[in-house]
Amino acid sequence: MARKLKRLHLDKRLVVLAVLVVLAIVIAIGYAAKGNKKTNVIIPSTSSAAKTQEKGSDNQSSNSSTGNSDTTNTAPSKDSSSSQSSNLLTPSGNFVSNHTPGQKGSPLDENSVCNTTPGATCYIEFTKDGETKKLAARVADSNGTVLWDWTASDFSSGTWTVIAVASLNGQTKTSQDSQPLEIQ
């Protein structure tokens, strides 16, 4: 009888151990899947141009070049409405003003420019190891220009790919910066 009880106690321990191993494997898989999950963060920025529109935020406001006033602009300006039937131009411009911010004493402040078709929406996307950060989408002015002022202080160290994305009337075009954003 004592042997039977001892054997039953040993079997219970093996079952508990097996359950713990399975639980540990499930938790490890969950953490691995979470590590591969793509994050998407909008980078706070201000506009250097008074008539750009920021989409994707609840307040849809943009700052004038002085930074003193917020204006709400929910549609492209009349100047750019004539281009609504135009073909979309591939984004170009100085997507990042300093590709090595914070290095050798350089500031973390950045300026970005996207040139495309007037009235098109443009944003700039930064990716590294499954993490994504974006400058909020804005509508290009009558010259086809979108400007952002922002800081690279929230970027983790490493090499970030820089891509500009422009959209208009169901068309989308992208352009990758020839140089990555290097954060140390």
Side-chain angles (χ1 to χ4, degrees), residues 104-125:
K104 298 180 183 175
S106 69
L108 293 174
D109 295 335
E110 293 279 357
N111 307 104
S112 293
V113 178
C114 176
N115 296 309
T116 186
T117 305
T121 300
C122 189
Y123 65 88
I124 297 180
E125 181 175 274

Side-chain angles (χ1 to χ4, degrees), residues 22-51:
V22 169
L23 185 60
I25 291 170
V26 168
I27 290 171
I29 290 171
Y31 277 116
K34 184 178 180 182
N36 292 332
K37 187 176 181 183
K38 188 175 180 180
T39 57
N40 196 353
V41 177
I42 301 294
I43 303 166
S45 64
T46 58
S47 170
S48 296
K51 291 191 175 183

Side-chain angles (χ1 to χ4, degrees), residues 3 5-21:
R3 267 188 177 179
L5 286 174
K6 194 173 187 181
R7 189 173 189 184
L8 184 61
H9 185 65
L10 182 62
D11 289 343
K12 284 183 180 179
R13 281 193 277 171
L14 287 175
V15 169
V16 169
L17 182 60
V19 168
L20 289 175
V21 168

